[in-house]
Amino acid sequence: LDQAFINPAAVFSSPDAVVRHPLLTLDCKREILWRWAWDEYLLDLAHVDGMPEGEPSRLPEVKAALRLVNSEWNPDPAAPAAYIVLYDRQGLALAA
């Protein structure tokens, strides 16, 4: 996980692999993809400044993955509120 935060492209084959990873939380996915987007952005700036081009930019691919991650948790505002269980002092659930 530490390496993924430092250099996501070295750990994951694609931004979509981050999105599909079953063990990462949404926050971890989002952070990894943000860092990947920043890396790609900096590479794009370097190409504009005259550095020789290497691999094609993956920034659009990373942005698409970020949109997917951000849409994974998109609650319906009309949905009912969560049911909250209240407990008494002995730890027994109270009827709500």
Side-chain angles (χ1 to χ4, degrees):
L1 189 58
D2 290 337
Q3 184 63 28
F5 286 134
I6 295 169
N7 186 1
V11 177
F12 296 98
S13 60
S14 69
D16 189 52
V18 177
V19 174
R20 291 182 288 109
H21 197 286
L23 301 178
L24 294 175
T25 65
L26 283 176
D27 287 336
C28 280
K29 291 176 184 181
R30 194 174 289 116
E31 181 66 25
I32 289 168
L33 290 169
W34 272 112
R35 291 176 188 231
W36 199 336
W38 181 248
D39 291 345
E40 292 296 324
Y41 172 74
L42 291 176
L43 285 173
D44 284 354
L45 283 180
H47 296 304
V48 169
D49 285 343
M51 271 185 67
E53 292 218 22
E55 297 289 319
S57 176
R58 297 182 85 175
L59 189 55
E61 189 180 351
V62 177
K63 286 180 176 181
L66 270 167
R67 281 192 296 276
L68 281 174
V69 167
N70 287 331
S71 70
E72 277 187 34
W73 190 80
N74 192 4
D76 180 4
Y83 179 72
I84 299 173
V85 178
L86 301 174
Y87 295 93
D88 64 10
R89 291 179 186 216
Q90 287 78 29
L92 301 173
L94 300 172

